[in-house]
Amino acid sequence: MPLDHDIAARLSRPITIRSIEAIAIALPLAKPMKMAGVEIRTADNLLVRIESADGTVGWGESASAPNMTGDTVPAMVAAVRDHIAPMLIGKDARGRAAFTRKMAHALHGNTGARSAVETALADLVGRTLGVTFADLYGGAVRDSVEPMWLVGNPTAAEDIAEAKAKTREGYAFFKLKVGVKPVEQEIETALAMRQALGPAVTLCADANCGFDYSRAARYLAGVDAAGIAFLEQPLATENLAGLARLARTSPIPLGADEGIHSLADIEAHANAGAGGLSLKLIKLGGPAATLAGAMLAAHRGLSINLAAKVSESSLGSAATLNIACLVPSADWGVSLTQVYLAEDIAKPALRLENGRVTPPAGPGLGLEVDEKAVARFTVK
Ligand SMILES: [Mg+2]
């Protein structure tokens, strides 16, 4: 059957990249967040804005993560401005898959910068061709996901009050941030959370490398009655021997997050006895690499958590959400992090309905970026 004339015309026309901008932004968090000893008040992120010759614009976002990817905002800006943009300006954005590969060869590491550029290219191509982000990457296998809420207050009473308020909004999956307080207090918090929230909610915990072996072992034994689904990244990233030892006796599956940056890391953690892992676009280097990681994880029988970094706006979170709808399984939940921001930069904001979040409809990421808001949060 011949293609519809409009579609054929759109597909055959080059999408010439006219400009690529790397924009440093600082988005205020709704409240400061503490993770393994570090308190953060703003989300310091990179935005990538790619405009084609016909004026269509595609956007991508990556959070900085000095202690996870090594990416700082100035380094991501320089990577895009000085190394990636000169490779792509004047090229046809329909070559985005080849560019993604070329970027990975030309620029070792720099996974945050590369992820934001790949996302912006896909958004641009999707908008131009009238195709959704999910369809560009092979098509969704689920139309919505159950997001999780991160809890990490100074006291158990505050954690419980916050989680109860969130259950009323429809959240039923909570991640406790641990590895910060004395371990006995963290065990008591987990037990109190389970008692207060009842058996229907899913609880998991994330130590962000904050335990040593003995504290991790004490935590795992102590929270048995709390029904914790998994403990994420209990030990330092390089301590795979400790992970293997811990996994042999742990009553709870162990996850990896900070330790996962490549397919080789996924293999190594599967071999060390991890039960699952957290995939982030900024760690793997973009949507395509994250999908490849998810396929390998599923093949190795690992559970999968898809996560944006605290905090990405609805832009970065929508990219994660779309990929979460494509992976074989997202059984360890999905972290969408625009909810921790005081203000967003894209519309429509991702919303929870009946306990689930659906990707915005429309071509590309389906979002309109508010360029005035971007200007307000831009860091010069
Ligand atoms: Mg984590």
Side-chain angles (χ1 to χ4, degrees), residues 353-376:
E353 275 173 61
N354 301 318
R356 301 184 72 83
V357 183
T358 304
L365 288 169
L367 293 166
E368 291 307 321
V369 171
D370 178 349
E371 297 212 30
K372 282 193 183 135
V374 171
R376 218 153 23 92

Side-chain angles (χ1 to χ4, degrees), residues 210-253:
F211 284 143
D212 57 17
Y213 181 86
S214 67
R215 283 166 66 218
R218 266 164 61 208
Y219 184 82
L220 288 164
V223 297
D224 196 25
I228 299 287
F230 62 92
L231 172 63
E232 187 168 299
Q233 198 69 51
L235 307 175
T237 55
E238 65 275 16
N239 191 1
L240 286 179
L243 175 69
R245 198 170 135 220
L246 202 58
R248 277 198 288 276
T249 55
S250 176
I252 296 163

Side-chain angles (χ1 to χ4, degrees), residues 53-64:
D54 74 359
T56 308
V57 176
W59 290 88
E61 179 181 24
S62 282
S64 60

Side-chain angles (χ1 to χ4, degrees), residues 35 68 175 177 206-208 232-233 256-258 278 280 283 305 307:
M35 279 192 289
M68 182 177 275
K175 180 181 268 186
K177 286 288 176 184
D206 186 356
N208 294 109
E232 187 168 299
Q233 198 69 51
D257 180 4
E258 282 85 344
S278 177
K280 291 182 170 76
K283 291 189 305 177
N305 162 263

Side-chain angles (χ1 to χ4, degrees), residues 81 94 99 168 183 212 228 274 290 310 312 342:
R81 185 192 56 211
R94 294 177 304 173
F99 301 150
R168 288 191 285 275
V183 69
D212 57 17
I228 299 287
T290 303
V310 175
E312 291 172 328

